[in-house]
Amino acid sequence: MNVVALAAQRIGGSFVAEVSGVDLARDMVAAWDAIHAAYLEHKILIFHDQDLSAKRFHDFGERFGTIEPHTVVMYHHNELPGITVLSNRVEMGRPKGIRDAGSHWHSDYSYKAIPANVTMLYALEVPNEGGDTKFIDLAAAYRALPDAIKQRLEGLTALHHYRRTKEREHPEGRWQLLTETERAATPEVVHPIVRTHPETGEKSLFVFPGITSGIQHIHGLAKAESDALLMELYAHCTEPRFQFTYKWNAGDLVLWDNRCTMHHATTDVLPADQYRTLYRINTKGTEPI
Ligand code: SIN
């Protein structure tokens, strides 16, 4: 088998690389070792001008681990339930996909006992304006904390809940959306606040100021103390120096490592007459340590 060389050009301050030299429809096996190494090094990879069937996209997802279908079944792709459809289109009166998969800071499936490792998005159509995705390097945010705070966070854990909702009336609030079965499948879980990456050994913050789902409080601290510490961490990690914003083109495939980053859609404010449709895959990671 020929091994495909790829070039990964860093474009964010501490993370994110644009990859060239790879046609994923043809090279995903031959380029796999280089793709995986670049993913661990840069945390977020961007591939332009890809032409992938749903099946090929699914094949690529499977290389990263077991694909875990989205909690909300109505958003699954018709033939491949491991693919979640994100779209603001409405067809025959039904949403074609999830209109807003998370216009707030979050890491995918952090509300599960085993959160996601990779998320991959493949853009089928994008609006001229809006619909950017924002990212934060949580390893860089952790490194930049004062030593006294790092020591204070040692051993602390937080309670996460899919139906934690700061804004009960938010249209995408998971509180409103879930069936009884989906509710039963999303109990409260506990994760460390500082997470060690199982493949690189790097430490990251693992806290997310999501609006419609996310962290309830820090285990063992009084509510006021927990709220104050979480607010301090959220203010720190959302500083612009840790951020990168991506403007999509049709044919882009972007993948990221949820173990050391968080992301924020901006699909709550799409232009009314323009469409954004993407396929998404998440793969199952390992228990955070
Ligand atoms: C997501 O939050 O998983 C999707 C991000 C996006 O649609 O930009």
Side-chain angles (χ1 to χ4, degrees):
M1 182 182 67
N2 286 336
V3 173
V4 170
L6 58 78
Q9 175 75 37
R10 173 68 61 86
I11 56 171
S14 62
F15 69 147
V16 191
E18 223 160 18
V19 177
S20 53
V22 180
D23 171 357
L24 289 169
R26 189 190 58 204
D27 303 329
M28 75 173 71
V29 176
W32 170 248
D33 287 348
I35 292 171
H36 190 253
Y39 155 71
L40 292 182
E41 181 181 350
H42 301 286
K43 304 184 175 74
I44 297 175
L45 298 181
I46 300 168
F47 300 80
H48 298 294
D49 299 322
Q50 300 297 317
D51 186 7
L52 297 172
S53 62
K55 171 75 174 70
R56 209 66 186 126
F57 179 60
H58 196 269
D59 290 345
F60 188 44
E62 279 181 322
R63 300 203 68 86
F64 286 88
T66 306
I67 292 180
E68 204 171 7
H70 193 275
T71 305
V72 184
V73 173
M74 66 182 276
Y75 299 129
H76 294 177
H77 184 279
N78 287 344
E79 287 152 24
L80 293 162
I83 295 181
T84 306
V85 181
L86 313 185
S87 185
N88 58 336
R89 281 190 184 271
V90 177
E91 290 176 348
M92 316 268 275
R94 278 196 87 220
K96 183 179 166 80
I98 183 165
R99 188 186 57 78
D100 183 8
S103 289
H104 52 90
W105 289 113
H106 64 285
S107 171
D108 287 334
Y109 295 167
S110 69
Y111 57 86
K112 295 193 180 207
I114 311 285
N117 54 6
V118 79
T119 297
M120 299 173 25
L121 291 185
Y122 176 51
L124 304 180
E125 58 180 346
V126 298
N128 295 334
E129 277 178 40
D132 300 355
T133 308
K134 302 191 285 180
F135 297 94
I136 281 179
D137 182 347
L138 286 171
Y142 176 77
R143 281 197 302 276
L145 284 171
D147 285 344
I149 306 240
K150 285 183 181 157
Q151 276 160 20
R152 191 170 167 212
L153 298 181
E154 226 22 74
L156 287 185
T157 56
L159 292 154
H160 297 241
H161 202 285
Y162 195 46
R163 278 162 281 137
R164 150 80 180 147
T165 254
K166 288 187 204 136
E167 294 179 10
R168 278 286 171 101
E169 303 315 316
H170 194 290
E172 298 296 326
R174 302 316 191 235
W175 185 258
Q176 335 249 14
L177 277 176
L178 298 198
T179 63
E180 279 311 312
T181 314
E182 290 163 348
R183 282 171 187 237
T186 51
E188 196 172 75
V189 297
V190 177
H191 292 311
I193 283 189
V194 177
R195 182 174 184 181
T196 303
H197 196 290
E199 293 183 82
T200 64
E202 192 174 38
K203 286 187 173 183
S204 293
L205 284 171
F206 200 62
V207 291
F208 320 105
I211 291 171
T212 58
S213 62
I215 292 186
Q216 302 200 118
H217 61 89
I218 299 175
H219 204 56
L221 295 192
K223 184 170 181 330
E225 195 184 350
S226 164
D227 286 352
L229 182 52
L230 285 173
M231 286 307 130
E232 189 178 341
L233 293 176
Y234 295 158
H236 169 76
C237 62
T238 54
E239 284 178 29
R241 64 185 162 140
F242 305 123
Q243 292 198 29
F244 175 85
T245 298
Y246 189 62
K247 174 154 185 54
W248 289 88
N249 311 290
D252 284 345
L253 185 148
V254 177
L255 61 87
W256 64 86
D257 190 338
N258 286 290
R259 299 168 291 187
C260 47
T261 64
M262 64 178 165
H263 58 283
H264 187 310
T266 57
T267 38
D268 51 341
V269 287
L270 287 178
D273 57 344
Q274 293 194 34
Y275 297 106
R276 182 182 192 267
T277 302
L278 296 89
Y279 285 161
R280 183 173 101 171
I281 281 177
N282 295 101
T283 60
K284 192 166 183 162
T286 48
E287 190 180 340
I289 47 166

